Amino acid sequence: MSISPLSPLENIKTGSRFLRGTIAQELNNPVTGAIPESDTKLLKFHGSYMQDDRDIRDERRKQKLEPAYDFMVRARLPGGVIPPQQWLALDALAQQYATRGLRITTRQTFQWHGILKRNLRAFMQGIHDARATTIAACGDVNRQVISSVNPHLSSQHALIQEWVLRLSNHFLPRTTAYAEIWLGGEQVGEAGDEEPIYGNNSAYLPRKFKIGVAIPPTNDCDVFANDLGLVAIIENGALQGFNVAVGGGMGATAGDPSTYPRLGSLVGFVAPDDLIAVAEAVVTLQRDHGNRQERQHARLKYTVDRLGVAWFREQIQIRSGRTLQDARPYQFERNGDRYGWSRGEDGRWHLGLYIASGRLWDRDGLRLQTGMREIAKILTGEFRLTCNQNLVIANVDDADRAAIDALVQEYGLDGYKEQSGIRRHHIACVALPTCGLAMAESERYAPVLLPKLEALLDKYGLRDEPILLRLSGCPNGCSRPYLGEIALVGRALGRYDLRLGADFVGERMNSLYRENIDEHEILGSLDALFGDYAQRRQPQEAFGNFLVRTGIV
Ligand code: SRM
Ligand code: SF4
């Protein structure tokens, strides 16, 4: 029997001397704005992607110029918590080095776009000085751990954030390459490096790995879209532990039916004290059994499907030395974010703000980035980014609310007050012009599409109806489109798959309704369906549930 060769990236990793490659030398090469391809793969583990401006790619090719290379950087901000001083520092970096403001991602952290190679080191040093990091924000490792933000009300939320931090820290790579390359760390080389979790051959994981923690009744982080999903079980106001789900993931490759989105499978319940051991068992099982030959089949979801959920459950117990109890009952009531002011158990206040596709910049007559800076200057609490690309100004003293409200209004951050239900519940991935994988517009299409959808909803008196809309520029699924009640998944410029019928709580995926259609057909299909929904829906019935109950999807 012939054994398939390892994917080329496996060799790049194992030959990288714990993620060094030749990144340090190539940053100093003034001849090109790029770095070699093998280094671009390793750079991801350091939290950065090489990109080029796709709007001007053809023009530069005609002029025989190299593409307009620059770098996207993603921070690691577990649970999306940002103290005001840190906000100011991260914002200052955006002003000095980035071209597109601050971008809140669907995994509640910041991305910066457009950083030039010659500035990359100073940028990373700036992130470090702001007491943040970018290590393992991307790459074949455990990435940013996400968690529920809404409502940020109880002492249990604060406790769960401590677990988020513990998980995040536990799975950080231990390589000293990051300090060496970016922070002027001692050039000690890899001799002393060890990776107790990821393996001492520098192979790290077969593919990216994601952990999410949801706090019922809100599934605002789409917990079942994560490789390891944890549902916090709180009884009588106290955290009992976590239900554990394995094998979630959204990505699919266009035209390859052997790839698919999958929701995590519940395998049991674990008490807090056993959480790290169980999580480590899941990560190392994937390290040892994940597919290292074909990257399109390398995520944990394929490992779980190949070896079976029962086998995987058993192996978690053997490896961790812990017994998984039966999953505990819980109920999700909603997805999406809560906007406006809410009051926590301790009497402090939280203000949820809507940020269109997470982009905070001063443009088109808006001064969102400046407004947030002014708020950061007076805030005594902290900021929390949400997994729906929005943010919460959290832990605000009663006495400070009026000043914050005034700034929110002055800088046009009060959009949440008037938005339609579908706008308040939409997510759009970045896509063009920065994403190298985009096949269609997404973030830039949202402001064009939304008014047209709103006009249709108005026709049927559905403007305030909360409907989960997800736009993605390709099937990779960065906006978790397979969990949208309505989703558009880009296939080519101006053409999308229309998917319909997920539930409102992130527990049922949608189905393909029309393939590869243009805007005219999208609006035509939805016009008819909205009309039907307005007429035949049951009281309180969500759009996705209506479509499934009536057999439309
Ligand atoms: Fe993503 C790749 C943006 C969340 C699945 N994602 C990319 C890249 C880096 C493109 C690339 O590889 O060259 C995109 C950079 C665009 C840009 O210009 O900034 C990109 N992904 C994003 C963000 C910024 C979307 C957003 O609009 O907010 C999100 C950043 C998250 C973060 O802060 O860590 C983002 N990506 C997601 C999610 C959602 C989630 O995790 O909850 C998914 C689906 C869940 C999952 O992982 O299964 C997701 N991104 C992918 C995939 C498909 C993975 C797969 O298993 O097939 C790719 C492509 C890949 O890995 O090969 C990808
Ligand atoms: Fe890029 Fe596709 Fe992700 Fe959108 S879904 S950001 S187009 S990789």
Side-chain angles (χ1 to χ4, degrees):
M1 198 179 78
S2 70
I3 300 171
S4 341
L6 291 176
S7 85
L9 190 42
E10 288 302 316
N11 295 327
I12 294 175
K13 285 187 284 183
T14 47
S16 74
R17 299 176 300 118
F18 292 96
L19 307 178
R20 285 174 174 77
T22 55
I23 297 174
Q25 297 89 302
E26 291 296 334
L27 288 174
N28 298 330
N29 177 357
V31 174
T32 165
I35 59 172
E37 163 132 25
S38 58
D39 283 331
T40 64
K41 311 284 184 206
L42 299 172
L43 189 69
K44 295 180 188 183
F45 292 76
H46 297 257
S48 178
Y49 278 69
M50 188 170 88
Q51 303 185 317
D52 72 288
D53 184 339
R54 293 183 58 184
D55 282 347
I56 56 171
R57 197 185 266 180
D58 287 345
E59 190 51 41
R60 288 185 67 95
R61 193 180 295 137
K62 275 187 216 146
Q63 293 181 18
K64 299 197 171 14
L65 293 169
E66 78 170 12
Y69 290 120
D70 55 27
F71 292 80
M72 175 270 272
V73 175
R74 187 183 288 165
R76 186 177 172 106
L77 302 167
V81 177
I82 310 181
Q85 283 310 317
Q86 189 177 62
W87 183 290
L88 290 172
L90 299 181
D91 169 65
L93 287 169
Q95 292 179 73
Q96 191 174 356
Y97 297 111
T99 51
R100 306 171 64 79
L102 290 159
R103 174 59 154 70
I104 305 170
T105 74
T106 52
R107 292 190 73 78
Q108 65 185 163
T109 187
F110 278 143
Q111 278 188 186
W112 297 258
H113 293 96
I115 298 153
L116 297 176
K117 183 171 91 171
R118 63 171 178 273
N119 294 327
L120 206 47
R121 257 205 190 101
F123 190 88
M124 299 300 223
Q125 179 69 53
I127 300 256
H128 177 74
D129 294 343
R131 295 173 182 271
T133 185
T134 66
I135 190 163
C138 325
D140 296 345
V141 274
N142 175 58
R143 299 178 169 197
Q144 159 95 341
V145 181
I146 56 172
S147 78
S148 288
V149 172
N150 301 288
H152 180 78
L153 299 181
S154 74
S155 56
Q156 296 309 300
H157 277 72
L159 181 59
I160 288 161
Q161 175 59 16
E162 287 175 21
W163 283 105
V164 166
L165 277 174
R166 259 178 245 181
L167 284 164
S168 179
N169 292 337
H170 188 75
F171 292 113
L172 273 176
R174 302 283 185 264
T175 174
T176 53
Y178 189 85
E180 201 179 292
I181 297 172
W182 307 109
L183 310 177
E186 205 188 334
Q187 305 290 308
V188 287
E190 72 280 16
D193 278 342
E194 279 184 20
E195 290 289 7
I197 292 174
Y198 295 117
N200 284 333
N201 62 350
S202 292
Y204 292 85
L205 297 180
R207 202 68 162 88
K208 57 177 75 164
F209 191 95
K210 299 180 174 179
I211 302 179
V213 187
I215 309 176
T218 309
N219 188 12
D220 54 345
C221 68
D222 281 330
V223 68
F224 296 113
N226 289 271
D227 297 85
L228 174 58
L230 300 167
V231 180
I233 303 297
I234 298 172
E235 285 165 11
N236 303 319
L239 178 68
Q240 305 297 309
F242 302 87
N243 281 350
V244 178
V246 295
M250 293 280 101
T253 307
D256 181 352
S258 70
T259 63
Y260 47 84
R262 183 186 190 281
L263 295 187
S265 309
L266 272 178
V267 291
F269 167 89
V270 66
D273 285 349
D274 293 338
L275 177 63
I276 298 289
V278 165
E280 187 172 319
V282 175
V283 170
T284 58
L285 277 165
Q286 163 65 354
R287 178 195 67 199
D288 298 343
H289 295 278
N291 184 333
R292 290 185 186 263
Q293 283 79 38
E294 301 161 338
R295 281 188 69 74
Q296 75 272 27
H297 297 134
R299 290 292 292 272
L300 176 65
K301 59 185 172 183
Y302 302 112
T303 316
V304 170
D305 279 347
R306 180 164 41 85
L307 298 169
V309 175
W311 181 90
F312 207 87
R313 181 177 195 276
E314 188 56 28
Q315 292 299 317
I316 294 174
Q317 301 191 93
I318 293 170
R319 222 171 245 230
S320 66
R322 311 297 199 276
T323 304
L324 287 169
Q325 300 169 31
D326 288 344
R328 301 265 178 103
Y330 66 93
Q331 198 174 6
F332 286 131
E333 288 168 8
R334 48 170 295 135
N335 200 323
D337 291 337
R338 263 180 33 168
Y339 300 104
W341 287 103
S342 50
R343 194 169 198 197
E345 276 173 5
D346 57 0
R348 294 181 77 78
W349 290 87
H350 313 282
L351 177 61
L353 296 182
Y354 162 84
I355 308 296
S357 301
R359 186 72 67 178
L360 281 169
W361 59 351
D362 292 358
R363 239 176 89 123
D364 304 328
L366 293 172
R367 296 178 67 208
L368 306 183
Q369 196 179 348
T370 306
M372 288 308 302
R373 188 178 313 133
E374 294 306 314
I375 292 170
K377 286 179 190 166
I378 63 164
L379 182 67
T380 54
E382 78 257 352
F383 298 98
R384 288 207 68 178
L385 308 181
T386 80
C387 299
N388 299 296
Q389 305 172 324
N390 295 306
L391 67 84
V392 177
I393 302 173
N395 276 322
V396 177
D397 205 68
D398 204 11
D400 297 336
R401 283 177 65 199
I404 287 177
D405 270 337
L407 289 171
V408 163
Q409 195 184 344
E410 182 180 346
Y411 289 98
L413 288 155
D414 56 351
Y416 70 91
K417 291 180 181 162
E418 285 144 31
Q419 309 294 7
S420 63
I422 199 164
R423 200 178 278 263
R424 290 156 73 102
H425 289 84
H426 95 275
I427 307 179
C429 76
V430 178
L432 294 164
T434 55
C435 176
L437 305 178
M439 300 156 84
E441 295 281 358
S442 180
E443 181 182 327
R444 294 196 297 198
Y445 184 42
V448 177
L449 177 71
L450 278 164
K452 296 177 185 174
L453 292 180
E454 284 166 342
L456 293 181
L457 291 161
D458 281 346
K459 239 168 94 176
Y460 303 109
L462 295 170
R463 171 165 271 266
D464 294 332
E465 213 49 51
I467 297 178
L468 297 178
L469 170 69
R470 306 278 171 93
L471 304 185
S472 270
C474 82
N476 280 318
C478 300
S479 61
R480 300 184 291 271
Y482 310 103
L483 285 167
E485 293 179 285
I486 303 174
L488 297 183
V489 176
R491 295 293 300 271
L493 278 183
R495 301 193 74 84
Y496 299 84
D497 286 348
L498 173 60
R499 304 184 63 95
L500 297 173
D503 61 16
F504 192 69
V505 294
E507 291 184 316
R508 181 185 68 229
M509 286 195 288
N510 54 25
S511 328
L512 182 63
Y513 183 71
R514 294 273 185 274
E515 201 172 349
N516 201 4
I517 57 175
D518 64 12
E519 183 182 86
H520 180 72
E521 294 166 285
I522 293 166
L523 295 176
S525 298
L526 290 175
D527 189 2
L529 294 172
F530 288 157
D532 220 6
Y533 176 51
Q535 266 194 347
R536 297 201 288 143
R537 65 185 294 203
Q538 293 177 344
Q540 310 300 321
E541 190 175 31
F543 184 58
N545 289 345
F546 164 79
L547 295 173
V548 171
R549 177 180 60 80
T550 54
I552 293 170
V553 296

